[in-house]
Amino acid sequence: MRTLLRADELARAQRYHQLADQQRFVVARAALRSILGQYLACAPAAIQFVVGPNKKPAIQNEPGLHYNVSHSKDWILIAVSAAPVGVDVEAIDPLFPFQDILPHSFSLPERQAIMSSPDGAHLFYQLWTRKEAFVKATARGIDDEFSTIPALDGPHRLAAASGQLVPSWLVSSFTVADGYVGAVAYQPSAHAVVPSFYNLTISEIDN
């Protein structure tokens, strides 16, 4: 698996203090290279990553293929699309004091929905992953405006800093596995299709 990575990536993996973090980075990077290699019909190790606008990762000389990566504990989530895309996966921790984050990162209706939910922790993570997926897809970043990113079910209107409305986006939630929630954000188009999901094992990455 390490043979799919470049020297700088292996060095980056070594900078993680915890062995589990090192392994997670290697697996995620190898899986990403393996998947993108299939799309680009090239050797996984030949793919060159660059930093795009607003520091969003991109593939060198491949503006028509977009990707995004997220990981949490035992799961790694990778999205590949012909248009900008963002994903996020989170392990649900029922003991996490999410109430402390609500005032800074969620709108009043979102806070009310979470606090009135019979499973506030699950709804917190569901809405959080939606926000994360959206800001990753748009390369907005998590900042003081995070609370303005809509995450509740239904259509929403979001204004950019210029005052103009942000182009339409779809953000969908899904269950990754027991105790894990995920979200994907992408722009709808006349050619858009419903996202397809696949499980990739470590043995498939090596092959």
Side-chain angles (χ1 to χ4, degrees):
M1 186 177 299
R2 289 177 176 268
T3 59
L4 299 181
L5 275 63
R6 296 193 168 197
D8 62 313
E9 294 171 322
L10 293 173
R12 179 178 170 185
Q14 291 299 318
R15 289 197 290 270
Y16 287 99
H17 297 295
Q18 300 294 327
L19 178 60
D21 294 330
Q22 295 180 18
Q23 295 173 333
R24 186 179 297 110
F25 175 81
V26 170
V27 172
R29 204 65 166 184
L32 176 63
R33 285 187 170 279
S34 179
I35 293 170
L36 293 178
Q38 294 293 320
Y39 279 92
L40 299 173
C42 70
I47 298 171
Q48 296 188 40
F49 297 110
V50 296
V51 178
N54 296 326
K55 299 182 178 181
K56 186 177 182 181
I59 309 169
Q60 188 175 56
N61 300 323
E62 294 291 343
L65 189 64
H66 302 259
Y67 73 90
N68 200 236
V69 181
S70 178
H71 56 77
S72 180
K73 293 189 177 181
D74 296 332
W75 283 89
I76 299 166
L77 190 61
I78 297 175
V80 180
S81 174
V85 64
V87 291
D88 189 52
V89 57
E90 298 287 345
I92 299 174
D93 180 0
L95 300 180
F96 178 70
F98 62 86
Q99 297 88 346
D100 297 341
I101 298 178
L102 297 183
H104 306 289
S105 301
F106 292 83
S107 67
L108 178 58
E110 292 166 348
R111 297 198 300 268
Q112 292 173 334
I114 292 172
M115 296 309 296
S116 62
S117 171
D119 191 349
H122 184 276
L123 185 56
F124 163 80
Y125 281 103
Q126 184 180 68
L127 300 188
W128 179 272
T129 55
R130 291 178 182 179
K131 288 172 178 278
E132 281 264 24
F134 180 81
V135 299
K136 292 174 69 178
T138 59
R140 290 172 64 103
I142 299 177
D143 52 26
D144 292 338
E145 298 182 354
F146 200 58
S147 63
T148 68
I149 304 300
L152 293 174
D153 291 349
H156 302 273
R157 295 167 69 88
L158 178 63
S162 62
Q164 297 180 333
L165 292 177
V166 174
S168 297
W169 287 82
L170 290 178
V171 183
S172 301
S173 293
F174 52 91
T175 299
V176 177
D178 288 343
Y180 290 81
V181 63
V184 57
Y186 57 98
Q187 283 186 297
S189 70
H191 306 290
V193 295
V194 176
S196 299
F197 296 87
Y198 305 92
N199 284 340
L200 188 64
T201 65
I202 290 180
S203 61
E204 290 174 304
I205 297 172
D206 285 332
N207 294 328

